Amino acid sequence: MFVRRRPLMRAAMVGGVAYHAGKRRQEGQEADYDRDARIAELEAQQMQQAAPAPAAASGGGDDMIAQLQKLAQLKEQGILTDEEFAAQKQKLLGAA
């Protein structure tokens, strides 16, 4: 009887180990899929948040023009020096 039992026990062990390894691999793949889905969702959210920002900046172009005209008036009046005017102008244009 022992001769017959050992091959059956060995087969049961190998089968059990293979089953367990398969389950582990499947769990790992599911975790990978979940992680990839979350990353894709976050990237989509970031793209949606980044897209409206340029549209808002172009809508504020009139405000920027008004600020540049105001700076030019201050420079003409002698309130701002050329360096100050250039710095403020660069600050406004760099923000847009």
Side-chain angles (χ1 to χ4, degrees), residues 47-75:
M47 292 299 287
Q48 287 176 352
Q49 290 174 355
S58 65
D62 295 336
D63 185 42
M64 185 172 56
I65 293 172
Q67 289 178 349
L68 286 172
Q69 289 174 344
K70 192 174 187 181
L71 284 174
Q73 289 175 354
L74 291 173
K75 181 184 168 203

Side-chain angles (χ1 to χ4, degrees), residues 9-76:
M9 287 178 59
R10 184 182 313 151
M13 279 293 266
V14 170
V17 170
Y19 174 79
H20 183 68
K23 286 294 269 184
R24 286 287 188 185
R25 182 171 182 202
Q26 182 181 8
E27 289 172 1
Q29 286 177 344
E30 289 174 357
D32 288 344
Y33 292 140
D34 291 341
R35 185 179 346 104
D36 290 345
R38 280 186 269 136
I39 288 172
E41 184 179 332
L42 289 173
E43 287 174 349
Q45 287 176 356
Q46 288 176 352
M47 292 299 287
Q48 287 176 352
Q49 290 174 355
S58 65
D62 295 336
D63 185 42
M64 185 172 56
I65 293 172
Q67 289 178 349
L68 286 172
Q69 289 174 344
K70 192 174 187 181
L71 284 174
Q73 289 175 354
L74 291 173
K75 181 184 168 203
E76 288 173 6

